[in-house]
Amino acid sequence: MTRFDALERELTVWFDETAIPRRPDYTTEIIQATAALPQRRWMTIERWFPMTVVAFRRTVPPFPWRTAAVLIALLAILVAGLVYVGSQPRLPPPFGLAGNGLVAYAKDGDILTVDPATGVRRWITSGDEVDELPRWSPDGTRLAFLRGSLAAPVEGARPLRRVVVVDRQRNVLSESVSLYDADPDAFAWSPDGRYIAIGARGLFILDTADGGVRTLDVGYQGLDFYWRPTHPSELLFRGETADGVGLVLVDVDRPASARLVAGDGEDVSRPNGWTLDGQRIVYTLQNFADDSAPPTGRTRILDMTTGAFVDIDGAYAHVSNGGTRLVAIGRDSRPCIASIDGGPCNAIADATKAYDGTYAGGASWAPNDGSIMVSSFGTLALLDPAGQGSGAPPSWMTDGAESWQRVAQ
Amino acid sequence: MDQRELAERARRGDHDAFAQLVEGSIARLEAVARLILRDPELARDAVQDAYIRAWRDLPSLRDPERIDHWLHRLTVNASLDVVRRRRRRPIEIDIGPISSPAVSDESGRVADRDTLERGFKRLRPEQRAILVLHYYLGLPASALAETLEIPQGTAQSRLYRALSDLKAALAADERATASFRSEVVA
């Protein structure tokens, strides 16, 4: 039995022993309170009229000549636009600010894109296989995602997934061999688009040109990883070397180069990214010694050359595309914005808009840094970095929002 | 009358059927909320919020067969909302029904109950929720995915990460205890 198995067993026993189900004394209060409340009613027309009436009403509208003319004109403009765009290939830089393109997301095992400007959705994949975690390449020309080979997985079976890379026209460019336990939350393109790093029960590097996968013999410890902007084959991850446990930097073309760049002390470190110059690493120090719940944490921005650092009072940071700011979760659980050079972390929304900081996809800046997509269980929101407005998510992101395409500005 | 039938009737506005649903599920949901929140008062708020939302939104429940998953989701979301709203309030542990039984350090144990309690409290609420759903309610990955409305692979990943973080919290606790002991000895 492994130490992990033992922990799982003990957790089960502890839960059973410490939370014996009982009927709470406020049960009657709940029943009485709900009896006095109205239920929400259906708002669709079908609820109030027989379907035959609704269907009839829908079948006889006059032919919309005006709409058709507008559509034809729009189509002509679209075709002209496509021809123009096709003849003028402009790509965004792999990092730094870019224009906002389509947002890709997974829903019911399919991959879709939505255009935030128009709300138009488009299926990229469909079928029995389970596709998830779409990620746009840094130049916005390709989309990678994980595809499960088991349409109806048997419980307890180890999930088997492969990486599929498609272009904007949905042509499959490459497909990897299947990997056991590929982690949908640990999946990142290198800045030059040559590689995709995949976390599974180990760290794997996929060559996007041919789908070939190799394993990196490094002490990867199963969290997110971040490619170094200025050195496209260098990857930062949490792991272990002969010098200890902490943040490790490796050149994926030379696995023996793995070195510890920030060792754990009293705090446990987890990587959050880089500054644009590739000189400073950004990571969270989780302080488990602090007895508050949940764990407190702070963000450290460490210069790897000089060893100088600044700490920010907020954890699980995401660096903006422009590289000057970061969003983090403050001590009061509110999303906050701080300068990359240090200083206070100023709240931009209430705690109900907090993202899940335990995986890289919990928050992502729009390519133009105009907004921040955040998600957690029961939370999906688009935050304004300036702190203006914190309402419901826009309709285009109601089904999900995972990866925002970078396009040329 | 089975759950499905009760849910169907409650969906059509039968409050007696809803009351039976509450009676049949509240003990389980209350335990889930207590485990996630580690605070009986906050759990009470969460369970109340979850049932009020359940009653109000029942007409929109498309498949009464899935009433259990739906109630679990409402309870988890209500618990997370409560903790987000009241994060700064000091957490008080109910010494009675959810107290940890005194267990001596047995050889081979990963952690004793107190350590487990401390480690668990140090997880983010989302992580506590997924561990409770899996290890307390026994929901498999497919049901976790359905309950939390996330892809199955993502559910597996979150579960694995929550366990990893719990392990890290326990290790940190162990280091802190060892350091305290060495200071006392010195």
Side-chain angles (χ1 to χ4, degrees):
Chain A
M1 181 181 287
T2 68
R3 199 171 154 83
F4 226 76
D5 293 334
L7 177 59
E8 290 180 283
R9 185 175 50 79
E10 284 173 25
L11 198 56
T12 306
V13 171
W14 178 62
F15 281 158
D16 286 343
E17 286 177 353
T18 58
I20 298 158
R22 57 176 185 178
R23 182 185 184 275
D25 55 10
Y26 54 85
T27 306
T28 310
E29 205 179 297
I30 289 179
I31 292 172
Q32 285 170 351
T34 51
L37 288 173
Q39 285 186 310
R40 290 204 175 102
R41 290 289 128 203
W42 289 93
M43 298 302 289
T44 53
I45 194 168
E46 290 86 348
R47 185 71 178 178
W48 308 106
F49 294 99
M51 274 306 292
T52 48
V53 173
V54 176
F56 177 74
R57 284 160 62 88
R58 283 180 177 169
T59 56
V60 293
F63 187 79
W65 290 106
R66 189 177 299 174
T67 310
V70 170
L71 283 177
I72 289 168
L74 283 175
L75 197 63
I77 293 169
L78 186 67
V79 169
L82 285 175
V83 169
Y84 176 76
V85 170
S87 64
Q88 302 284 323
R90 289 176 61 227
L91 297 178
F95 49 90
L97 288 171
N100 292 348
L102 304 175
V103 171
Y105 64 97
K107 185 173 173 59
D108 299 332
D110 297 333
I111 304 293
L112 294 93
T113 59
V114 58
D115 184 341
T118 62
V120 171
R121 293 171 197 276
R122 181 176 179 234
W123 262 263
I124 300 298
T125 69
S126 64
D128 289 340
E129 292 187 296
V130 178
D131 297 334
E132 55 190 308
L133 198 89
R135 285 283 178 269
W136 286 105
S137 60
D139 64 3
T141 59
R142 292 169 289 169
L143 190 63
F145 53 86
L146 289 176
R147 171 165 284 172
S149 60
L150 301 172
V154 178
E155 284 306 336
R158 294 174 70 191
L160 202 55
R161 296 190 188 85
R162 56 194 189 277
V163 180
V164 180
V165 179
V166 298
D167 64 16
R168 284 185 287 197
Q169 285 71 45
R170 297 182 287 184
N171 301 309
V172 174
L173 301 177
S174 66
E175 200 161 337
S176 76
V177 294
S178 293
L179 297 167
Y180 278 114
D181 302 317
D183 180 352
D185 287 328
F187 188 76
W189 285 84
S190 63
D192 59 5
R194 276 178 65 204
Y195 299 130
I196 293 174
I198 311 153
R201 295 291 164 105
L203 184 50
F204 296 87
I205 302 296
L206 168 90
D207 188 320
T208 58
D210 59 12
V213 174
R214 61 192 157 99
T215 181
L216 275 190
D217 187 17
V218 291
Y220 170 63
Q221 288 202 344
L223 287 175
D224 312 308
F225 28 66
Y226 294 87
W227 293 92
R228 191 174 186 180
T230 49
H231 298 65
S233 60
E234 290 191 2
L235 192 66
L236 179 73
F237 62 95
R238 178 170 170 76
E240 185 168 10
T241 68
D243 294 327
V245 177
L247 302 186
V248 176
L249 183 64
V250 65
D251 182 329
V252 299
D253 294 328
R254 293 183 300 113
S257 67
R259 65 188 170 99
L260 193 70
V261 290
D264 280 357
E266 289 293 309
D267 302 323
V268 175
S269 50
R270 55 193 308 154
N272 296 135
W274 291 88
T275 53
L276 287 192
D277 59 8
Q279 288 305 306
R280 290 181 289 170
I281 54 175
V282 180
Y283 58 103
T284 290
L285 288 165
Q286 277 181 301
N287 185 353
F288 288 108
D290 184 337
D291 219 4
S292 60
T296 56
R298 64 190 189 284
T299 295
R300 175 159 293 181
I301 298 135
L302 169 73
D303 189 311
M304 290 201 308
T305 310
T306 65
F309 64 84
V310 292
D311 282 352
I312 288 170
D313 203 10
Y316 311 117
H318 291 259
V319 181
S320 66
N321 292 292
T324 56
R325 294 174 291 172
L326 53 81
V327 61
I329 298 292
R331 274 179 190 274
D332 56 2
S333 294
R334 301 168 70 189
C336 59
I337 298 279
S339 162
I340 198 78
D341 297 318
C345 200
N346 300 310
I348 54 166
D350 63 45
T352 62
K353 301 293 187 300
Y355 56 87
D356 186 343
T358 57
Y359 67 104
S364 55
W365 290 79
N368 70 358
D369 281 353
S371 53
I372 304 164
M373 296 194 302
V374 298
S375 65
S376 177
F377 299 152
T379 302
L380 201 58
L382 193 67
L383 305 182
D384 178 352
Q388 302 298 311
S390 57
S395 58
W396 60 262
M397 74 182 293
T398 49
D399 285 338
E402 291 182 70
S403 179
W404 208 322
Q405 181 189 30
R406 293 167 62 83
V407 295
Q409 281 182 311
Chain B
M1 198 178 302
D2 66 13
Q3 284 265 98
R4 192 197 171 288
E5 219 174 320
L6 285 174
E8 186 57 59
R9 280 179 45 194
R11 198 165 71 130
R12 292 197 300 262
D14 181 341
H15 191 267
D16 290 340
F18 181 71
Q20 285 185 58
L21 276 177
V22 174
E23 291 285 0
S25 58
I26 196 166
R28 185 177 71 250
L29 297 191
E30 203 257 353
V32 166
R34 265 189 295 147
L35 282 172
I36 294 172
L37 295 164
R38 313 304 299 167
D39 180 313
E41 287 307 312
L42 294 184
R44 178 191 177 120
D45 290 349
V47 171
Q48 285 177 335
D49 287 355
Y51 278 117
I52 285 172
R53 177 165 286 193
W55 169 246
R56 289 177 67 95
D57 292 349
L58 253 171
S60 70
L61 177 65
R62 274 175 291 180
D63 184 358
E65 288 281 1
R66 300 176 187 278
I67 181 80
D68 269 347
H69 287 326
W70 190 61
L71 288 175
H72 291 151
R73 175 159 69 239
L74 291 178
T75 306
V76 167
N77 288 344
S79 300
L80 298 182
D81 283 346
V82 162
V83 83
R84 285 170 190 144
R85 284 199 303 263
R86 303 181 62 179
R87 180 64 60 79
R88 294 188 78 79
R89 179 182 176 280
I91 302 290
E92 297 152 11
I93 303 300
D94 181 1
I95 303 300
I98 62 166
S99 67
S100 307
V103 175
S104 61
D105 243 353
E106 295 165 33
S107 121
R109 295 195 74 87
V110 170
D112 64 29
R113 298 293 190 260
D114 287 343
T115 315
L116 209 47
E117 167 93 42
R118 283 197 300 276
F120 187 71
K121 271 170 61 187
R122 289 168 184 165
L123 297 181
R124 288 181 60 79
E126 293 87 352
Q127 295 181 309
R128 282 185 250 156
I130 203 162
L131 290 177
V132 168
L133 292 177
H134 186 67
Y135 293 107
Y136 180 66
L137 289 183
L139 299 190
S142 55
L144 280 180
E146 194 176 327
T147 301
L148 300 171
E149 292 186 303
I150 53 178
Q152 188 170 323
T154 306
Q156 285 162 332
S157 162
R158 303 286 158 79
L159 187 60
Y160 181 75
R161 285 179 178 222
L163 265 186
S164 298
D165 274 12
L166 179 58
K167 204 172 146 193
L170 296 176
D173 195 276
E174 203 174 286
R175 283 199 302 272
T177 308
S179 146
F180 175 72
R181 281 189 187 136
S182 65
E183 280 172 21
V184 169
V185 169

